[in-house]
Amino acid sequence: MEVSLELANGTRVQQFILLGLSTRLGVRGVLFAVFLALYLLTLLENTLIVSLICSHSQLRKPMYFFLGNLSCLEMCYVSVTMPTLLLGLWVGPYHLSFMACMTQLFFFIVLMGTECILLASMAYDRYVAICRPLHYLLLMRPRVCVGLALTSWLGGLVVSVAKTTCIASLSYCGPNVLNHFFCDVSPLLNLSCTHVALTELVDFISAIVIFCGTLLVTLASYSAIGMAVLRMPSAAARRKAFSTCASHLVVVGIFYSAALFIYCRPSRIKSMDLNKVLSVIYTVATPLCNPVIYCLRNREVHAAFRRSLHWS
């Protein structure tokens, strides 16, 4: 694979070569069809969730307000990484300009940080609903819900500005080959030809604040929920309380298991094939599965969907 004369002379990289999810020609066509179908299905599922929440007054509750935000986020999330994944499967290794790579990285970090804070906000909503039901309407009034949602989006934006600025300011002298299907933090750090201690420190601190911080809020919320559920007198009440939290726990488990493995350590990750597999989990599988997990046993969503079919 050719390296430009500029790289040989040690000047700044102007473009990267993304190897994509797979370089094997025999499987790329099949994978392209599979991931294109998953992408379209993800957009359809999350669009349906947002449409149901906006068009049915029965779903205008804090839990569904956050779910609508999450669905909007998932559509943006998958649309940031999936186009480059599909392009790599269609044409093979391809060139991406430095600015385009940094732009993709910026939006990816925004959305990942936002999702972490939003999942913690949803855990807090469930804590208030189960542990302080008499104060639920007061503590989760519309102004509070909007504030939590705005905090989620602004928090992701602030973290992304800091991390992307540090990564973009590094020198990339060559090689310029990214063994990934999108511009992610670890592959870019591996290509830097300058000292990355400060960038890794910023990356590590942001991981602690965003990933670990929000995970602690989530764990604390569910610890309180667990103790409250165990004190409930009847088994039926315990099952009902648990059923309202089970879907969120599954989503949190899938998302954090993959994301924390990659991002909560500042060292440059060498096993890029494992990195790509784990990236597929939280950039493709999670946005696809979240609507199904949240709505599979949700009677209110089922009723709203049936009414929509009846009206049509």
Side-chain angles (χ1 to χ4, degrees):
M1 194 169 294
E2 64 176 15
V3 178
S4 66
L5 181 61
E6 289 183 326
L7 298 183
N9 291 335
T11 57
R12 189 179 180 89
V13 166
Q14 298 300 316
Q15 60 182 6
F16 295 103
I17 300 173
L18 271 70
L19 297 183
L21 185 62
S22 174
T23 57
R24 295 173 58 187
L25 186 61
V27 301
R28 287 209 318 256
V30 176
L31 289 177
F32 177 84
V34 170
F35 280 103
L36 178 60
L38 294 178
Y39 179 43
L40 296 176
L41 182 59
T42 300
L43 294 179
L44 177 62
E45 288 177 345
N46 286 285
T47 301
L48 179 61
I49 295 298
V50 174
S51 176
L52 288 174
I53 292 172
C54 292
S55 60
H56 291 80
S57 59
Q58 298 88 343
L59 300 182
R60 288 171 190 169
K61 301 176 181 179
M63 181 176 71
Y64 299 112
F65 171 77
F66 291 119
L67 181 57
N69 271 269
L70 183 64
S71 292
C72 290
L73 184 146
E74 300 291 24
M75 287 188 285
C76 297
Y77 198 23
V78 75
S79 296
V80 167
T81 57
M82 189 66 84
T84 52
L85 186 154
L86 292 172
L87 182 61
L89 292 174
W90 183 256
V91 303
Y94 63 96
H95 293 79
L96 191 67
S97 71
F98 181 86
M99 184 58 67
C101 185
M102 291 300 116
T103 301
Q104 184 184 47
L105 177 68
F106 172 78
F107 285 109
F108 173 74
I109 297 174
V110 168
L111 295 168
M112 171 160 282
T114 301
E115 181 157 4
C116 289
I117 303 173
L118 193 59
L119 289 174
S121 300
M122 296 173 76
Y124 173 73
D125 170 68
R126 293 298 84 205
Y127 159 76
V128 176
I130 293 174
C131 299
R132 305 188 65 182
L134 298 179
H135 300 91
Y136 183 74
L137 293 179
L138 175 63
L139 294 176
M140 298 306 297
R141 59 192 182 276
R143 183 178 297 180
V144 173
C145 294
V146 171
L148 289 172
L150 286 177
T151 300
S152 300
W153 289 96
L154 290 176
L157 179 64
V158 170
V159 169
S160 184
V161 168
K163 293 183 70 169
T164 307
T165 300
C166 288
I167 293 172
S169 65
L170 296 174
S171 294
Y172 300 91
C173 311
N176 63 338
V177 179
L178 282 173
N179 184 15
H180 214 313
F181 59 86
F182 71 99
C183 293
D184 201 359
V185 174
S186 295
L188 287 168
L189 291 181
N190 288 335
L191 294 186
S192 175
C193 57
T194 55
H195 194 54
V196 297
L198 178 60
T199 302
E200 289 192 330
L201 179 62
V202 171
D203 186 36
F204 183 70
I205 292 174
S206 62
I208 293 296
V209 172
I210 294 296
F211 289 115
C212 297
T214 55
L215 181 58
L216 286 176
V217 171
T218 303
L219 292 177
S221 298
Y222 277 107
S223 297
I225 289 172
M227 290 186 290
V229 168
L230 291 176
R231 289 196 298 265
M232 291 180 178
S234 68
R238 289 193 293 270
R239 282 195 300 270
K240 182 179 180 180
F242 178 75
S243 67
T244 65
C245 304
S247 57
H248 186 254
L249 276 173
V250 172
V251 170
V252 167
I254 295 172
F255 178 80
Y256 278 104
S257 296
L260 286 174
F261 181 85
I262 295 177
Y263 293 105
C264 264
R265 50 179 181 172
S267 59
R268 307 183 194 188
I269 297 171
K270 302 299 183 183
S271 181
M272 295 311 301
D273 289 335
L274 176 61
N275 196 356
K276 287 193 285 188
V277 171
L278 292 172
S279 296
V280 168
I281 293 175
Y282 66 80
T283 60
V284 179
T286 301
L288 174 69
C289 296
N290 279 356
V292 177
I293 294 171
Y294 275 111
C295 302
L296 187 63
R297 299 176 60 186
N298 191 304
R299 295 179 180 178
E300 291 180 311
V301 174
H302 290 177
F305 182 63
R306 285 194 295 269
R307 283 194 295 271
S308 296
L309 293 177
H310 178 71
W311 291 339
S312 61

